[in-house]
Amino acid sequence: MEDQPLKEQRIKAAVEAIGDRFLAEISVFRGETRLTLAAERLVEAAQALRDEFDFDFLTSLTASDYWPQLEPRFHVVYQLYSNAHHIRLCLRVPVNDRDPVVPTVEKIWRVANWHEREVFDMFGIRFEGHSDLRRILMPYDWEGHPLRKDYPLGYEEPQFSFNYSDIQIRKNRGRYEEA
Amino acid sequence: MSTQTEVSLDELRHLISDRALTGETVLLNMGPQHPSTHGVLRLLLELDGETVINCIPDIGFLHTGIEKNMEAKTYLKAEVMTDRMDYMNTVGNNLVYCLAIEKLAELDVPPRAQSIRVILAELKRISSHLVWLGTHALDMSAMSTFLYCFREREMILDILEMCSGQRMMTTYIRPGGLWRDTPAEFEGAVRQFLKIFPERIDQYEALLTKNPIFLDRTKKIGVISREEAVQWGLTGPTGRGSGVAYDVRKVSPYSGYEQYEFDVPVLHGGDVYARYLVRMEEMRQSLRIVQQALDKLPYGPVRSDNRKYVPPPRSELSQSMEAVIHHFKLWTEGFSLPKGAVYVPVESPRGELGCYLESDGGPKPQRAHFRTPSFVHLQALPLLAKGHLVADLVAIIGSIDIVLGDADR
């Protein structure tokens, strides 16, 4: 096990090199180092992180929706881990609402294949260059992207006394249409 | 065959070889309802005779929108949903979620709670490996192993029930510690289990490890090299069978794991048999951890004192106004976490289970994502299964130990 100062030096070296080269914003929160960078620079930064700094594991790829804020609306979050040096790093890529496209890192870490499919399925963020971008958890012909914040939760509304008549009309509508 | 119009393969066309379209190879649906797929997993197999040319997994049959639902509930109510994801490792799911909350809130956990968390997590790991062993052997027609494993698992479920009232979906681990202290019979029951279990593992090994039929069905099947395992993100026993020496308990220790001495078995065969041996040894190591944790179990409180996150005990309510206010706020609105995002990994019996928790400062999670090992390992199934027979496919699926609740969420 490496002791703390050496680990921090390694993270510092990796993060500063990447930060300078790819204009990434560096921040540390609760002991986790994170780099926020633009989508265009993602693939080169990821390649550099894997080849030069031994971040050989992509442990998690997910996204987060900040609707109703539209610029950026999403953040795609990558968690990287280096098996050789036991350090973790987080990459965040902001994505806009109008054209949510991010280049794929599937060629760099094969594990990203299904993760990116899941992000596409749940958020609608397209991954450019992905070999097999289709829905994974929802049925193949589903419309809409469930984990977006403007997608309804989809449960049945409880019929309380204040909305009794509104819901009763909806319930009766089907019945009268049958007759 | 080619004139049927109901089923269209358009969305899968790029994954299937041309031989399928001419009828040279058969496309077989190993459908979601199948006794050997360990859950609702649909595999589209392209078969040349009995050999698997390609295997396309189709998941999502158990997708219940847990992550979306968690965004609509307060943190404590959302914790109940974490049990239901990987239903074989319910304690581990609770643990990872609570660790994420505690990391984000910088909440302390008393040492007794940490030790009991470790004991329960390791017992659940043993229970999960017992189910794996029973069902894996059952898939290969070694039916007696199944019943022996479940007999031992009943002892573990009894221990969990005496702590929390529930056999599986316990939600016993709460942010700040545990729900309540363990009852007086807990230590006796765990020691009883520790006494009888080592020879039971020997009995399972006597049934399978040198069994020529088992060896025939598992050696050199589903081989994956170390480099490919790293590329495809295989962690846990699946990765350790291929030489990926990565165990979250050793690398990023949580909940006091650094004080316990245990080994992490790593083999280099990369086949089904190696993964079997790794898991058998892991059960023994888990017993070691439970023994040490139980011997060193400190006295003390089991939940943090921080009343902003932990409700006060009911006895305090009649005496303190602040306790009443905290009780009210915590049970109506729930606690709010500071704004930010954390990622906490934990070693589940399947691999690295990670919780990415993001908070916007309110009482409900802005985003709770679980990096589940079964989801990641299923990706590698086509690679593992290429060139093997359909019967070997059953052994391979068993060896990567997937739980569909984990994969689909």
Side-chain angles (χ1 to χ4, degrees), chain A residues 30 59 63 65-66 118 132, chain B residues 14 104 358 366-367 371:
Chain A
R30 299 281 187 273
T59 55
D65 185 9
Y66 298 105
E118 189 196 348
D132 184 23
Chain B
H14 55 289
L104 198 46
E358 187 170 345
Q366 142 81 15
R367 175 87 173 105
R371 181 261 189 221

Side-chain angles (χ1 to χ4, degrees), chain B residues 50 60 63 69 75 109-110 119 158-159 165 196 199 216-217 261 306 310 326-327 329 332 337 339-341 379 395:
Chain B
E50 185 84 11
H63 176 67
N69 258 303
Y75 286 100
V109 180
I119 294 174
D158 283 342
I159 294 175
I196 62 138
E199 58 157 318
D216 240 350
R217 287 207 65 173
E261 232 183 76
N306 191 336
V310 173
H326 281 132
H327 173 100
K329 286 296 276 179
T332 53
L337 290 180
K339 200 159 178 229
Q379 255 195 93

Side-chain angles (χ1 to χ4, degrees), chain B residues 247-265:
Chain B
D247 186 333
V248 184
R249 296 174 292 177
K250 289 284 194 191
V251 164
S252 331
Y254 50 93
S255 195
Y257 267 104
E258 57 270 5
Q259 17 168 329
Y260 307 120
E261 232 183 76
F262 60 101
D263 302 318
V264 173

Side-chain angles (χ1 to χ4, degrees), chain B residues 118-123 126 190-191 193-194 260 285-296:
Chain B
V118 165
I119 294 174
L120 290 177
E122 292 303 316
L123 285 176
I126 296 175
V190 179
R191 287 209 193 274
F193 180 75
L194 288 174
Y260 307 120
Q285 296 300 322
S286 287
L287 279 181
R288 257 178 96 182
I289 301 177
V290 176
Q291 182 80 54
Q292 291 171 53
L294 202 56
D295 290 337
K296 290 188 202 166

